[in-house]
Amino acid sequence: MLRLIVAFAFMALLPVVSKAADMAAAPAVVAAFSAEKMLMGSVKSVSVADATKGTKSQIVVIGADTKTSDILVKETTTLYGADAKAISLDKIAADAKVEVVYSVTKEGVNEAKSVKLTK
């Protein structure tokens, strides 16, 4: 009878232990999302990729703290106008106000996830 009670008690705790394991994994998910950063500022310069020169697309943004940041613009980067419609990189000009969501690679490169023109 005691074994039966212990077995039922153990089975009753399984969902609690399982939930605790799920919660322990949650910080890793949060850490992945918190790796993204946001930068608001004005565009200092824009350069479009040129395969013949071996250059990549990037924008240089001057943040509110007057620090300049080089941001790599990849093919997967989404670019938006102030009206939230998709645009191409050539529509972003020097002195434009932007909001950039980016992440820093382990090599220290700032890779843009999205760039949005702001009013």
Side-chain angles (χ1 to χ4, degrees), residues 49-56:
D50 185 344
T52 60
K53 295 179 182 177
T55 60
K56 298 180 179 182

Side-chain angles (χ1 to χ4, degrees), residues 7-97:
F8 280 123
F10 178 74
M11 290 177 68
L13 288 176
L14 279 178
V16 174
V17 172
S18 175
K19 183 70 172 173
D22 290 344
M23 291 176 67
V29 173
V30 172
F33 288 110
S34 64
E36 289 187 348
K37 299 179 179 189
M38 187 184 328
L39 172 64
M40 295 177 71
S42 61
V43 176
K44 180 178 179 181
S45 64
V46 178
S47 56
V48 179
D50 185 344
T52 60
K53 295 179 182 177
T55 60
K56 298 180 179 182
S57 295
Q58 77 168 15
I59 60 174
V60 178
V61 179
I62 303 171
D65 59 357
T66 68
K67 178 183 167 197
T68 59
S69 298
D70 294 352
I71 311 287
L72 178 66
V73 178
K74 299 172 58 174
E75 289 180 15
T76 57
T77 302
T78 52
L79 305 171
Y80 300 102
D83 59 359
K85 292 183 181 177
I87 60 170
S88 57
L89 185 59
D90 62 344
K91 300 293 183 201
I92 300 174
D95 297 323
K97 303 294 184 206

Side-chain angles (χ1 to χ4, degrees), residues 32 35-37 71 100-105 108-113:
E36 289 187 348
K37 299 179 179 189
I71 311 287
V100 181
V101 175
Y102 69 99
S103 61
V104 181
T105 66
V109 177
N110 297 327
E111 288 186 350
K113 302 294 181 192

